[in-house]
Amino acid sequence: MGLELYLDLLSQPCRAVYIFAKKNNIPFEFKHVELFKGQQYREEFGKVNILKKVPALKDGVFTLAESTAILLYLSRKYNTPDHWYPSDTQKRARVDEYLSWHHTNIRSNAGKALWIKVLIPLFTGQTLPPEKLQEVMDELAISLKQFEEKFLQDKPFIVGSEISLADLMAIVELMQPIGVGCDIFEDRPKLSEWRNRVEEAVGKELFQEAHELILNIKELSNIQIDPQLKEHLAPVLRKMMK
């Protein structure tokens, strides 16, 4: 039994895993877990990941959750090029440093525009006031300023002259607002130039393939949402709507 990756490309971390595996010619079977249909709650998927989240990996009888753990596992098992997760101690520490900061900053803030503009109206039928979106974009702007000043600085990529897992995890998150018309790269030339370099390093065709769903997210307006998923997300949505 070969490598299986359980993914939904609407998910930012899933896109990172997908791009990394494809770019490095890692053979895998794509197992599509459709989040809006609640497939993550099915008993079959629970045997792969009891946390009921994607991405998830199954390699024979071995299973693994969490995107960072999966990316590191793939990089080690398949001996991917060193620049992704450098063997140099200090360069590797820079990747680790970014990934540690990422979850409570870029990841925490970048996805909220999608929820406010598309997902909350889709799940609840209610539209949030423009002030709520502006509040989210102001929070993201703080994270973007820190990203540029602390992590990117004047380097081509976060670690230096080559792309790493840090850049990959960052870019998939920052594409989330783009899908709902919030162009965070506009008027940020340093960030925009970095994005172009990341796309080139990954390959524009692969990059577009991975982001096709999120860039057409508004087409989901007529999708049928799984009732169990609505019930599960209700407390989260109520908190975001306050």
Side-chain angles (χ1 to χ4, degrees):
M1 187 181 298
L3 178 69
E4 298 174 351
L5 295 176
Y6 293 76
L7 310 169
D8 186 332
L9 296 184
L10 285 173
S11 156
Q12 307 93 301
C14 285
R15 294 199 296 271
V17 170
Y18 180 83
I19 290 171
F20 183 76
K22 284 280 193 177
K23 178 64 178 176
N24 289 287
N25 298 310
I26 296 172
F28 69 94
E29 182 178 353
F30 185 110
K31 295 285 191 178
H32 191 191
V33 181
E34 295 187 68
L35 298 178
F36 285 166
K37 292 184 178 180
Q39 292 180 354
Q40 66 272 36
Y41 299 116
R42 293 181 180 175
E43 183 179 353
E44 182 182 355
F45 180 66
K47 296 174 182 177
V48 178
N49 185 6
I50 195 173
L51 301 177
K52 301 177 182 180
K53 294 181 179 180
V54 289
L57 172 152
K58 186 176 182 183
D59 193 2
V61 298
F62 177 74
T63 59
L64 190 64
E66 299 299 326
S67 55
T68 300
I70 291 171
L71 289 167
L72 294 179
Y73 175 81
L74 294 176
S75 71
R76 290 161 179 155
K77 176 169 182 177
Y78 294 95
N79 195 28
T80 57
D82 188 72
H83 62 82
W84 289 108
Y85 194 57
S87 54
D88 178 89
T89 303
Q90 293 186 354
K91 288 183 177 180
R92 176 170 290 193
R94 289 298 180 205
V95 175
D96 293 337
E97 179 186 42
Y98 175 76
L99 294 177
S100 298
W101 178 83
H102 170 86
H103 288 281
T104 54
N105 291 275
I106 296 297
R107 177 149 179 74
S108 176
N109 292 320
K112 290 179 181 177
L114 173 66
W115 280 97
I116 288 172
K117 293 197 71 174
V118 176
L119 298 184
I120 288 178
L122 181 63
F123 277 75
T124 68
Q126 299 180 42
T127 302
L128 294 183
E131 294 79 14
K132 190 67 176 177
L133 177 62
Q134 187 59 52
E135 178 184 320
V136 164
M137 298 310 294
D138 288 345
E139 291 175 357
L140 179 56
I142 294 171
S143 292
L144 292 176
K145 185 173 187 293
Q146 293 174 343
F147 177 79
E148 288 188 331
E149 293 179 353
K150 162 64 180 170
F151 295 100
L152 194 55
Q153 299 176 7
D154 294 319
K155 300 169 292 184
F157 299 97
I158 292 173
V159 174
S161 61
E162 294 183 281
I163 191 173
S164 71
L165 292 179
D167 300 281
L168 183 57
M169 290 293 280
I171 193 63
V172 294
E173 292 291 343
L174 295 180
M175 290 302 293
Q176 211 77 347
I178 299 297
V180 293
C182 298
D183 190 353
I184 59 172
F185 297 99
E186 188 178 11
D187 299 325
R188 291 188 174 95
K190 181 185 291 189
L191 195 67
S192 180
E193 290 166 8
W194 166 79
R195 171 191 171 178
N196 291 336
R197 288 191 292 270
V198 172
E199 285 193 38
E200 290 286 349
V202 165
K204 286 188 175 294
E205 185 175 344
L206 173 57
F207 190 86
Q208 289 301 314
E209 176 190 336
H211 288 89
E212 182 178 1
L213 282 176
I214 191 61
L215 293 176
N216 293 283
I217 188 69
K218 293 181 180 179
E219 294 180 7
L220 292 176
S221 58
N222 296 320
I223 196 172
Q224 294 296 314
I225 304 297
D226 178 74
Q228 185 180 2
L229 180 61
K230 281 188 175 182
E231 182 181 349
H232 179 78
L233 290 177
V236 180
L237 296 178
R238 283 195 294 268
K239 184 177 179 181
M240 293 185 71
M241 294 172 70
K242 288 181 180 179

